[in-house]
Amino acid sequence: FEPTDALPSLAAAFVREHRLSRGAGCDDADCVAGALVDAMRDAVRRASSPPVRPRALPPYSGHIDTDLDTQGDVDIGAFLVRTDLAQAVGFPWTHHAADFAYLRAVRAELARRGLRARKINQTLYVHN
């Protein structure tokens, strides 16, 4: 696809052609098409601008948003969330990238409240 293409139409046609109705945290075809459009727009944006900072880890099966942490304030797999924020966001996701969907939702709730994530340089928890 090209940046000038009608991405929603392309995504909807792809979803219909492949009979997609679930995936990426979605439970219906419209949601899958929307997630596909978001991924396509992200790909166009990433292709047209240099990365903000180098990634420490490669993308995981194409489902991790490579610019989820452009400010460098989150270590994936090691983040804490205030109880009131966690309760407001909930955790309805059951797919393999649920932690990323959760973090994205927490970020949206932070923005809605006029707050931001903060990184601290301290080990809070270690497991293996």
Side-chain angles (χ1 to χ4, degrees):
F1 61 90
E2 297 295 325
T4 56
D5 289 342
L7 301 182
S9 297
L10 286 175
F14 182 87
V15 167
R16 276 192 309 275
E17 179 181 342
H18 296 282
R19 297 181 182 152
L20 302 175
S21 61
R22 298 184 63 132
C26 292
D27 292 325
D28 62 51
D30 289 338
C31 179
V32 173
L36 185 55
V37 168
D38 289 344
M40 294 164 82
R41 287 183 177 144
D42 284 345
V44 167
R45 186 174 30 78
R46 283 192 306 271
S48 64
S49 62
V52 174
R53 68 183 180 102
R55 289 181 45 82
L57 299 171
Y60 172 70
S61 301
H63 294 284
I64 293 175
D65 186 354
T66 58
D67 62 335
L68 188 60
D69 185 32
T70 57
Q71 298 168 350
D73 57 9
V74 174
D75 286 330
I76 296 301
F79 53 89
L80 297 174
V81 178
R82 282 182 2 195
T83 301
D84 61 312
L85 289 166
Q87 289 173 334
V89 169
F91 200 91
W93 305 276
T94 58
H95 54 83
H96 74 281
D99 52 345
F100 293 94
Y102 176 70
L103 181 55
R104 199 170 287 116
V106 167
R107 280 276 173 86
E109 181 66 15
L110 285 168
R112 189 183 73 74
R113 295 183 185 198
L115 301 172
R116 68 187 260 330
R118 189 175 129 207
K119 184 172 184 172
I120 59 174
N121 292 320
Q122 182 177 349
T123 301
L124 301 177
Y125 180 72
V126 177
H127 70 90
N128 57 11

